[in-house]
Amino acid sequence: MEAIAKNPALQNANTDFLPLEGTDYVEFYVGNAKQAAHFYKTAFGFQSLAYAGPETGVKDRASYAVRQHKLTFVFTTPLRPDNPIADHIYQHGDGVKVLALRVPDATDAWQQTTSRGGKSYLEPQRLQDEHGEVVMSGIHTYGDTVHLFIERKNYTGAFLPGYQPWNSHYNPIETGLLYVDHCVGNVGWNQMNPWVKFYEDVMGFRNILSFDDQDISTEYSALMSKVMSNGNGFVKFPINEPAEGKKKSQVEEYLDFYNGEGCQHVALATNNIVATVTALQDRGVEFLKVPGSYYDDLLDRVGHIDEDLTPLKELGILVDRDDEGYLLQIFTKPVEDRPTLFFEIIQRKGAKSFGKGNFKALFEAIEREQAQRGNL
Ligand code: FE2
């Protein structure tokens, strides 16, 4: 017992009832998966990975999996209207349906979470093909979003059973995106704390950071946020709710147009944000811009940084520092016509936080866009 008490790793393994090995994939329900996959290859530099559809024995949908380093995105579209995927798109537009988490034991993950109050989405299922076996299970989270638990230690295929490798003649070079840093959920009024409790009770996460409406408010609007992390820190889910301001919160605009709670942004990590954002911008990805004055006193705020200020200013990359280091980040505009899902590009240089020092400048930039849409 003494050895366990003194060894934090063993202690963690002993107490973490839902060990997670990271994000396995993010699945988007979209109106046209073939074209969405092309966009993410062209604009973001993903590579073709695998396909499932009528040709592979899946009759009601088509799914395209693309990959860049450890990032796997899946785009799924329904083939007929009488289909829950079609309902999802009618309600929400294109958006994130599945945040899939890799686990050592998907059956145990389902039992642990459902016994703690998680609502089952998928009972443990064994999927097999000539490359081995994947066990999948899942629970519901906020809105119509779900978590799938993926156990793939006995699988060597391209993606999942039911998919065939997707070999394409079109393979645009990558942009340096590496893995999912965090995924943010927008929830309704007074719903942040219930969802914080869900992640604590059902999934064993803990609240590592909190921001109230004093931290995150501009002249016009406000939101509140709590960051939930699993035991090893590989999976982080900040949860936002709107707060009262003079005008409509950006979270409220999202809830209106997504027609409910859902994933607001997925943050993608890079080791060279200047190169990555330059490449993304050249390929047509649109970013939120802060005023040039943001950079006037930047170094006074954050101290020395390794990067030249000029490209950061040209690209609109934001910088923030915490006790452990600094981070560089930038946010895309929404990637669909509804003002809903967007992406963050983030490079961490020691900092484990989320850019609190940038919130005000950033949210003023979001509000300028919101006002242009007539929704402020
Ligand atoms: Fe973020």
Side-chain angles (χ1 to χ4, degrees), residues 269-304:
T270 171
N271 283 337
N272 185 342
I273 197 167
V274 171
T276 294
V277 174
T278 300
L280 294 172
Q281 189 170 271
D282 287 349
R283 293 155 177 244
V285 177
E286 297 178 313
F287 292 96
L288 288 175
K289 296 286 166 133
V290 293
S293 58
Y294 171 88
Y295 297 91
D296 292 348
D297 55 354
L298 176 67
L299 297 181
D300 298 334
R301 290 202 302 275
V302 303
H304 172 77

Side-chain angles (χ1 to χ4, degrees), residues 6 19 25 62 75 93 114 140 143 155 236 248 265 268 284-285 291 297 299 347-348 359 367 371:
K6 280 180 182 169
Y25 64 90
F75 303 97
T114 55
H140 291 266
Y155 192 67
K236 292 186 282 295
K248 185 188 266 188
H265 74 266
L268 310 175
V285 177
D297 55 354
L299 297 181
Q347 181 178 7
R348 293 187 180 278
F359 286 169
E367 281 169 10

Side-chain angles (χ1 to χ4, degrees), residues 122 124-129 132-136 150-151 154-155 160-162:
L122 179 71
Q125 280 195 350
R126 292 180 184 283
L127 309 174
Q128 290 163 326
D129 66 12
E133 178 186 87
V134 171
V135 186
M136 287 173 75
I150 311 291
E151 173 189 337
N154 298 316
Y155 192 67
L160 291 172

Side-chain angles (χ1 to χ4, degrees), residues 181-184 238 264-267 329 331 342 344 346 354 359:
D181 185 275
H182 59 275
C183 296
V184 179
Q264 179 209 40
H265 74 266
V266 180
Q329 63 185 166
F331 296 82
F342 59 88
E344 173 181 352
I346 185 166
F354 292 81
F359 286 169

Side-chain angles (χ1 to χ4, degrees), residues 174-186:
E174 301 191 337
T175 60
L177 298 171
L178 299 174
Y179 55 86
V180 172
D181 185 275
H182 59 275
C183 296
V184 179
N186 278 344

Side-chain angles (χ1 to χ4, degrees), residues 78-87:
L79 298 178
R80 294 180 179 281
D82 54 340
N83 183 316
I85 304 170
D87 296 340

Side-chain angles (χ1 to χ4, degrees), residues 7-28:
N7 185 326
L10 283 175
Q11 204 170 24
N12 198 37
N14 224 26
T15 55
D16 193 351
F17 63 81
L18 182 63
L20 301 177
E21 296 164 350
T23 302
D24 195 274
Y25 64 90
V26 180
E27 182 170 8
F28 305 75

Side-chain angles (χ1 to χ4, degrees), residues 18 52 57 119 147 200 203 229 232 240 273 277 326 340 345:
L18 182 63
K119 185 179 157 204
H147 290 311
E200 285 172 345
M203 295 183 65
S229 173
N232 61 19
N240 295 336
I273 197 167
V277 174
Y326 67 97
T340 53
I345 311 299

